[in-house]
Amino acid sequence: MELFIQLVINGLLLGGAYTIISLGLTLIFGVVRVVNFAHGEFLMIGMYMVYLIAAQFGVHPYAGLVPVAVILFALGALTQKGIIQPLLNADQHIQIFATVGVSTILLNLALVIFGANVYRAPVELGTSAIDVGPFTMVTGQLITFAVGLSLAALLHLFMHRTYLGRALRAVAQHRYAATLMGVNVNNVYAIAFGLGTAFVGIAAGLLAPQYPVFPTVGTYFVLTAFVIVVLGGLGSLYGAVAGSMIIGIVDTLAGFYIAPDLKEVVYFGIFLLILVLRPNGLFGVGTE
C-alpha cells in the first residue's frame, strides 16, 4: 500500500509540471481559438535560455525563470501579431500549418545553434530528495507542483477579478460582442498568446534542474499537454489542472505496474474512453 501511495504522490508531483504547460496551451486556445503546435518548441527555447543563463552566470536555473518568462511573453505576443493575427479569418487548417511552421523553424534553429547535443544545468537544488514519513519526494518536483497550483489559482483570480482578465474572458466567449463593448480584441489576442507562452517560460525554469535540454525536449511534454487539454475540456482552466493530475497519476502507475514504454498507450486509452463518454471533456468549454 505504501508503494501505491508513493506512486500516486509521484504522479501528482509530475502533474504539477503538466499543469503549468497545459494552462498556457488552454489560455491560448480558450481566447485566441488557435491550437498552438509550436508550444513545445517555445518550452525548448525557454529551457535553452535558462541553461545559458545558469551556465554563463553561474546561477541556479530558478534565477532565470522570470527573465525567460518575460522574453517568451514578448516572443509569443510577436508571434500572434506577426503570424497568427493575419490568419485569424482564414480556415483553421491554415492557422495550424502556421504554428507547425513556427515549430519547424524553432526546432531547426536550435539544431543549427546547439546541435543535437544534450545539456544539463549543474545544480543540486531541485534534484535532491526529502523524506516525509515513509514517502520520498524530489524537491524540484515538489516546487514545480506548488508553483503549478499557485499559478492556476492566480490565473483564476486574474481572469475573474481584473479588467484585463474579464476582457480575456469576454473575447473567449464572443469576440464580436467584446468589440462592441470597447475591448481591443487584437491586443487581447496578443496578451493571451504572450501569457500562454510565458507559462512555458516558467515551466522551463522549473524543469531545467530536473531534465536535460535538447532540441526535441518540448515534444514529449506538449504531446501530453494536448491530451490533458482535450481531456479536461478545450478552454477550461479547471480541466487543465484536473487533467494534469489524472494523467500524472496514470503515467506513474502505468509505468510501474505495466511497462514504462506502454504508459502512453494506457493514458491515451483512458483519454479516448472519457471522450466517448464526455465528448466535450471533463469540464467542457466555458463552464467556469
Side-chain angles (χ1 to χ4, degrees):
M1 190 61 183
E2 284 187 5
L3 176 59
F4 178 80
I5 295 173
Q6 177 68 68
L7 291 171
V8 171
I9 291 172
N10 292 346
L12 289 173
L13 295 180
L14 178 61
Y18 290 150
T19 294
I20 301 173
I21 299 169
S22 300
L23 284 174
L25 200 59
T26 296
L27 185 61
I28 291 173
F29 178 82
V31 177
V32 189
R33 299 298 178 188
V34 169
V35 180
N36 181 20
F37 281 93
H39 206 62
E41 280 58 52
F42 284 123
L43 174 63
M44 174 267 295
I45 293 297
M47 291 185 72
Y48 270 117
M49 287 193 289
V50 169
Y51 165 77
L52 290 174
I53 291 172
Q56 292 296 318
F57 299 102
V59 298
H60 194 278
Y62 291 166
L65 188 151
V66 173
V68 168
V70 171
I71 292 170
L72 284 183
F73 175 88
L75 184 59
L78 288 173
T79 300
Q80 161 63 27
K81 285 285 190 180
I83 299 174
I84 306 300
Q85 187 64 41
L87 301 175
L88 280 181
N89 293 321
D91 291 338
Q92 285 191 341
H93 67 274
I94 300 296
Q95 301 167 4
I96 290 173
F97 288 152
T99 62
V100 171
V102 173
S103 168
T104 304
I105 291 171
L106 292 178
L107 179 59
N108 284 278
L109 188 62
L111 283 168
V112 169
I113 297 173
F114 298 102
N117 297 326
V118 175
Y119 297 93
R120 182 182 287 274
V123 295
E124 293 184 4
L125 177 64
T127 58
S128 58
I130 59 173
D131 295 325
V132 180
F135 307 113
T136 301
M137 291 178 281
V138 178
T139 55
Q141 289 185 332
L142 190 58
I143 293 170
T144 304
F145 177 79
V147 172
L149 293 187
S150 298
L151 284 175
L154 289 172
L155 184 59
H156 172 82
L157 291 174
F158 170 75
M159 296 290 283
H160 289 80
R161 300 291 180 85
T162 67
Y163 172 79
L164 180 56
R166 288 192 289 269
L168 287 167
R169 291 172 60 213
V171 172
Q173 291 173 11
H174 200 296
R175 64 177 178 177
Y176 298 114
T179 302
L180 294 175
M181 296 298 104
V183 176
N184 189 322
V185 173
N186 291 339
N187 286 345
V188 168
Y189 282 156
I191 291 170
F193 209 99
L195 283 175
T197 309
F199 270 78
V200 293
I202 296 172
L206 295 167
L207 293 175
Q210 306 171 52
Y211 298 92
V213 55
F214 48 92
T216 57
V217 66
T219 303
Y220 171 76
F221 288 102
V222 171
L223 282 177
T224 305
F226 275 116
V227 172
I228 290 167
V229 168
V230 177
L231 175 65
L234 287 169
S236 170
L237 301 182
Y238 305 147
V241 177
S244 296
M245 299 307 160
I246 292 171
I247 294 299
I249 292 172
V250 171
D251 187 295
T252 54
L253 292 177
F256 183 83
Y257 288 113
I258 301 176
D261 53 347
L262 292 178
K263 58 186 181 182
E264 288 88 356
V265 176
V266 175
Y267 64 64
F268 266 101
I270 294 174
F271 161 72
L272 291 174
L273 177 62
I274 291 177
L275 284 190
V276 169
L277 299 174
R278 292 183 61 85
N280 290 328
L282 295 174
F283 287 84
V285 178
T287 58
E288 60 263 61

